[in-house]
Amino acid sequence: MKFSELSLDPGLMEGIEATGYITLTPIQEKVMPTILAGRDIIASAQTGTGKTAAFLLPVLSKLIEHRHEGHTSGIIIVPTRELAVQIAQAVEGMAYFTPISSIAIYGGGDGNAFVQEKQALQKGVDLVICTPGKLIAHLNMGYVKFDELQYLVLDEADRMLDMGFHDDIMRIIRQLPAKRQSLLFSATMPEKIRSLAKKILKDPVEVNIALSKPPEKIDQKAYVVYEPQKDALIQHIIRETPHRSLIIFCSRKQTVKQLTQTLKRANLNVAEIHSDLEQSEREDLLQGFKSGRIPVIVATDVLSRGIDIDTIDVVVNYDVPHDGEDYVHRIGRTARAEKEGKAFTLVSDKEIGRFSRIESLIGKVVEKAPVPPELGKAPEYIVHRRSGGGHRAEHQGGHRQAGGGHHIARPKHSGQGHRQENGRHNESGPRPERAPRTEGTQRPEGSQRTGVPKKIEKRNPSGGGDA
């Protein structure tokens, strides 16, 4: 199913098309039509399966269609500040060409941040992404009005209950109109989640969302390296791995450009594909790649979906994808039409936690290949897992997560896009959200205005960890 077959707002479609996405993932195909039809949903879905776009795109489209100026129209409640930031960034990318306003509200800032959040809640904002404790702090002040709210999303509901947020969630929900659309997502479906669902959902559709697994025909390997070793290792893979067609995926457009130049200086026949190229240029390069004239393509995730070339022998992830869904789509470009294929992922010492989460999601420990000795000493694959008040290191399993800055996005005037005001903190490790004292000690906020780019590089629309 293609995005063009859904009744999404044209501004959202412009953002989707700018990322190069054409077809829905299985997750989105299950969930999005149901949400667009106005039904409540209870869904079993892990972080990293691509669920974020599955609920964001239809909610955003409906918010655009039925905007209530001066009122808050939708809230997304999440367990941690890290997830709030991640979803807020996904909203910014998807809604770039729309008038939607949004704000992320979570603990850890200072009084200036609290004032800015208060102003947004008083004046009304289309979409609030929040942690329960911080929103309760605002509710305690008496100025939060949700009388026109249309949409409620609970993401990672089981984790919120495990963290003791049941009473906070129910207190927030008691402030909402009875007539609303509610969506509940949970990685697991224990009885306490079903009990919560009965309290807040009306005749819900139940959806079981599982991450697609890579075909068994793909021989997956990972190299654990330091970042400066990656370019030399890429050259080693290209020269030592037999192939007719090889794709190298990079998460950033700038990385694609730099790596392409490095490989050309090494006398390798490569080309680059990213969102700065016109569609006709992309098509010409893909035709050269398909014919074998260009044996190696360096690309952003614009090529991870929507292309079907049976001759791709090898896929290389220059960096670790943002989530499991992206990993599956990237390496799924090989082993087509019952053929076999190879997939290599270059995992820097700072990407080990992310790759470990992907291994958990796909249910497979990927073989760690030895780094060629001429590249020098490489790091060990040791995963840091937070346990109680500290960390413990493991050679497999567990994860380490980095946090992000406080994120606020508001629309530009005259429908010219989206403005982001951000700045606040940058911290590592997921932290349980606690209801802060209202006098708070939050950090100061900076702000910046972003213009409308020629094109948008992919902002993890399939989820991300789930955007």
Side-chain angles (χ1 to χ4, degrees):
M1 186 176 186
K2 295 184 178 181
F3 282 101
S4 57
E5 297 177 47
L6 295 171
S7 300
L8 294 176
D9 175 80
L12 279 180
M13 285 302 304
E14 188 175 357
I16 293 168
E17 290 167 1
T19 66
Y21 281 76
I22 300 173
T23 59
L24 279 71
T25 66
I27 294 168
Q28 294 157 357
E29 193 164 344
K30 282 184 178 181
V31 171
M32 290 176 64
T34 303
I35 298 175
L36 288 170
R39 298 290 302 276
D40 284 10
I41 279 182
I42 176 172
S44 173
Q46 290 183 321
T47 297
T49 58
K51 70 178 185 301
T52 301
F55 66 73
L56 273 184
L57 285 170
V59 167
L60 288 171
S61 188
K62 295 178 78 171
L63 282 175
I64 295 166
E65 186 178 355
H66 302 289
R67 292 189 72 209
H68 290 185
E69 293 286 351
H71 297 277
T72 296
S73 298
I75 59 173
I76 300 172
I77 305 176
V78 299
T80 65
R81 67 191 69 184
E82 288 78 20
L83 186 54
V85 169
Q86 181 178 305
I87 293 177
Q89 290 171 341
V91 171
E92 181 196 356
M94 295 174 190
Y96 204 100
F97 299 104
T98 77
I100 286 291
S101 61
S102 63
I103 184 169
I105 295 177
Y106 51 87
D110 70 1
N112 291 334
F114 198 92
V115 169
Q116 188 173 23
E117 295 162 1
K118 176 181 176 180
Q119 291 174 344
L121 291 168
Q122 285 178 317
K123 294 178 180 179
V125 60
D126 292 313
L127 188 61
V128 172
I129 305 102
C130 62
T131 51
K134 191 60 183 294
L135 186 58
I136 288 291
H138 286 286
L139 285 170
N140 286 340
M141 305 297 287
Y143 47 75
V144 180
K145 302 296 181 185
F146 288 143
D147 50 306
E148 296 290 334
L149 189 124
Q150 305 167 67
Y151 306 101
L152 165 68
V153 180
L154 298 181
D155 195 12
E156 296 196 3
D158 53 345
R159 190 174 177 192
M160 284 194 280
L161 295 190
D162 289 342
M163 293 164 64
F165 282 127
H166 178 274
D167 291 346
D168 284 350
I169 291 171
M170 294 310 300
R171 182 175 176 187
I172 294 169
I173 289 173
R174 283 194 291 270
Q175 306 293 317
L176 310 181
K179 186 179 180 181
R180 65 174 189 272
Q181 185 175 4
S182 301
L183 315 173
L184 186 153
F185 290 84
S186 179
T188 59
M189 206 59 64
E191 183 54 39
K192 61 185 178 181
I193 289 294
R194 295 195 177 277
S195 176
L196 177 65
K198 290 177 183 177
K199 297 175 184 177
I200 67 174
L201 304 178
K202 294 181 180 178
D203 187 26
V205 174
E206 184 163 345
V207 179
N208 181 22
I209 299 172
L211 179 72
S212 302
K213 300 296 177 67
E216 290 297 325
K217 300 185 299 296
I218 301 176
D219 179 17
Q220 302 177 58
K221 287 185 173 63
Y223 289 95
V224 185
V225 294
Y226 293 109
E227 195 70 33
Q229 296 173 310
K230 285 188 174 182
D231 287 4
L233 181 54
I234 286 286
Q235 295 177 46
H236 173 85
I237 291 172
I238 292 173
R239 291 191 167 107
E240 299 299 323
T241 307
H243 63 272
R244 180 176 185 267
S245 300
L246 183 151
I247 289 184
I248 304 167
F249 283 112
C250 305
S251 295
R252 297 177 64 249
K253 177 172 53 183
Q254 192 59 35
T255 307
V256 169
K257 295 177 179 180
Q258 292 171 351
L259 179 60
T260 301
Q261 291 306 309
T262 297
L263 297 179
K264 285 183 176 180
R265 286 195 295 270
N267 296 317
L268 292 169
N269 182 10
V270 304
E272 63 189 74
I273 293 184
H274 45 73
S275 62
D276 279 355
L277 301 180
E278 297 297 331
Q279 185 63 34
S280 59
E281 294 178 281
R282 294 190 207 179
E283 290 174 358
D284 288 345
L285 289 172
L286 280 176
Q287 187 57 44
F289 184 58
K290 188 179 293 188
S291 68
R293 179 172 53 86
I294 302 173
V296 178
I297 288 282
V298 185
T300 58
D301 286 290
V302 72
L303 272 192
S304 69
R305 304 167 193 256
I307 65 165
D308 190 4
I309 300 176
D310 295 339
T311 58
I312 298 172
D313 310 290
V314 181
V315 172
V316 182
N317 293 313
Y318 182 85
D319 43 35
V320 177
H322 289 292
D323 56 51
E325 191 77 22
D326 284 345
Y327 178 80
V328 171
H329 278 281
R330 281 186 180 187
I331 72 171
R333 297 310 95 197
T334 188
R336 315 282 280 188
E338 302 304 316
K339 297 180 181 178
E340 296 182 350
K342 295 182 181 296
F344 301 101
T345 301
L346 277 54
V347 184
S348 75
D349 52 323
K350 296 180 180 178
E351 297 173 309
I352 289 173
R354 187 189 302 170
F355 193 69
S356 172
R357 293 194 291 276
I358 289 175
E359 289 181 310
S360 297
L361 286 166
I362 65 174
K364 179 183 178 67
V365 175
V366 177
E367 178 186 343
K368 310 304 182 295
V371 175
E374 62 268 24
L375 298 187
K377 184 178 179 181
E380 293 184 73
Y381 190 78
I382 300 176
V383 179
H384 295 276
R385 170 174 286 174
R386 184 177 292 272
S387 177
H391 286 82
R392 59 190 174 91
E394 300 176 347
H395 283 267
Q396 293 288 346
H399 68 273
R400 178 180 60 195
Q401 185 171 353
H406 207 84
H407 178 101
I408 300 170
R410 297 189 181 282
K412 291 186 176 181
H413 296 293
S414 306
Q416 293 181 7
H418 218 68
R419 183 181 71 175
Q420 180 185 2
E421 299 170 352
N422 55 21
R424 296 193 220 170
H425 56 266
N426 186 3
E427 37 201 313
S428 63
R431 300 186 183 178
E433 186 65 28
R434 295 189 179 96
R437 288 174 289 186
T438 54
E439 67 268 25
T441 54
Q442 303 174 338
R443 280 172 281 252
E445 166 124 31
S447 66
Q448 65 178 13
R449 184 180 181 91
T450 57
V452 178
K454 178 181 177 183
K455 292 190 180 181
I456 300 177
E457 194 59 43
K458 179 190 170 200
R459 294 177 182 264
N460 201 21
S462 67
D466 178 29

